[in-house]
Amino acid sequence: GGSTTFGWYALDDNGTIPHYLQKKLNQDQKKFEVINAGHLSAASAFETKFLKENLNLEPDIVIVYDGHNDMTTPLSIDTPESKMQLQMLFKHVDSIFYSPRLVEKILHEIESNILLQTQNKTNAATVDYTEEDYVKRADRWEENWSKTCDELASKDLKIIIFLQPILGSDNKDMTNYQPRATHEGSMKSLDHYYLFKEKIPKINEHCTNVVDISNVFHDVDVPVFADPMHTGNYGNEIVADRIYEKILPIVLDDLSK
């Protein structure tokens, strides 16, 4: 995933979705390792490439936490080789030295500025807001993951994709503070999120499972969003619990073999 998986607003590594999931899996003394492969601003084009280049980690299950970045990443800057190489470089450096959270955030700002400058853009969030672009973004998400799941079908690797919640996707009224986190782009993303939901059955034909958890906060009566997509520790734990519920049957089936 992207910064939501990395845990942009988590207080520390122990407040991220991967950490809470590992804690939940190990509550009965079983030994599971959940690797946080979240990279800031990553969308499916980078995520699929990163996965295929890091199979040496020998994962049994790949959990994808996706949606927002594919919805908002401008089509024009999604797949250039220069972007991929730069993101891979920063991720490789992080995997070797395990950069502290603050350092990785600073590196992300440097990376983002470099990418914007190479594309002669000042703000990636201000472009590609046509109806056709949103359709193409959903198509891109479907194509990247369907193709990757097919390519890795022989690896005995389970790939489970979760369509993440974004501000407003739980169909609740906004709290007093949350409207200040919205802007034109975030509202348009929310209005077009249904395009991604419509892709779920198609991707499900290729991957192990695709699960819509965009309404995971429906019954939560306190604010969880810090901006249109990021949550803090409390929201991350709720998401991890839902992911745990969905993957547990698969995990137990693997353990029984």
Side-chain angles (χ1 to χ4, degrees):
S3 55
T4 49
T5 299
F6 167 80
W8 183 258
Y9 280 103
L11 297 178
D12 52 32
D13 287 332
N14 293 336
T16 65
I17 295 171
H19 172 80
Y20 285 123
L21 180 59
Q22 178 169 283
K23 183 178 179 180
K24 191 80 173 179
L25 286 166
N26 288 324
Q27 61 186 341
D28 296 324
Q29 304 303 314
K30 297 184 178 71
K31 300 299 182 181
F32 294 93
E33 180 184 24
V34 180
I35 298 172
N36 188 343
H39 184 68
L40 309 179
S41 296
S44 59
F46 168 81
E47 293 163 350
T48 51
K49 183 177 179 64
F50 178 80
L51 170 60
K52 286 182 282 190
E53 293 191 6
N54 287 274
L55 292 175
N56 60 301
L57 294 173
E58 299 183 348
D60 299 298
I61 300 175
V62 173
I63 297 170
V64 182
Y65 188 60
D66 250 0
H68 177 270
N69 285 357
D70 272 271
M71 174 66 75
T72 58
T73 299
L75 297 164
S76 57
I77 66 171
D78 183 35
T79 57
E81 188 61 28
S82 59
K83 175 186 178 182
M84 291 297 178
Q85 291 177 351
L86 188 62
Q87 286 187 317
M88 286 293 178
L89 172 62
F90 276 91
K91 197 62 182 175
H92 182 62
V93 170
D94 180 53
S95 66
I96 294 175
F97 298 104
Y98 190 71
S99 306
R101 296 178 63 78
L102 178 60
V103 173
E104 183 160 352
K105 289 186 177 185
I106 294 173
L107 291 176
H108 169 63
E109 294 300 320
I110 296 173
E111 172 193 311
S112 298
N113 287 332
I114 293 174
L115 291 173
L116 288 173
Q117 289 174 11
T118 59
Q119 296 295 322
N120 295 317
K121 299 183 184 298
T122 58
N123 186 348
T126 62
V127 295
D128 286 354
Y129 278 155
T130 68
E131 297 294 316
E132 183 181 2
D133 285 323
Y134 283 110
V135 173
K136 289 181 178 179
R137 289 169 177 177
D139 289 342
R140 169 185 59 188
W141 184 61
E142 176 198 348
E143 179 182 352
N144 285 337
W145 281 115
S146 295
K147 181 179 178 181
T148 298
C149 288
D150 286 344
E151 290 177 352
L152 300 180
S154 63
K155 301 292 185 181
D156 193 27
L157 179 64
K158 297 175 178 63
I159 301 177
I160 307 172
I161 301 170
F162 289 87
L163 182 64
Q164 68 188 111
I166 60 176
L167 183 60
S169 64
D170 50 22
N171 298 318
K172 293 193 303 185
D173 292 334
M174 299 287 190
T175 64
N176 290 331
Y177 97 97
Q178 285 176 326
R180 294 200 295 273
T182 65
H183 49 72
E184 180 186 5
S186 67
M187 294 310 298
K188 283 191 174 182
S189 295
L190 179 61
D191 291 341
H192 292 87
Y193 216 33
Y194 74 93
L195 294 170
F196 278 60
K197 296 184 179 186
E198 289 177 348
K199 295 295 184 181
I200 290 177
K202 296 180 180 180
I203 304 176
N204 220 1
E205 296 175 1
H206 304 268
C207 302
T208 305
N209 199 7
V210 187
V211 185
D212 179 4
I213 60 169
S214 60
N215 67 341
V216 67
F217 301 125
H218 180 71
D219 295 325
V220 180
D221 57 3
V222 296
V224 291
F225 284 98
D227 60 23
M229 82 293 298
H230 296 107
T231 57
N233 289 35
Y234 182 56
N236 290 342
E237 186 171 12
I238 293 173
V239 169
D241 285 346
R242 180 62 63 86
I243 291 175
Y244 170 80
E245 293 172 2
K246 295 299 182 179
I247 70 169
L248 184 61
I250 297 175
V251 172
L252 292 177
D253 182 61
D254 273 1
L255 291 175
S256 66
K257 295 179 180 178

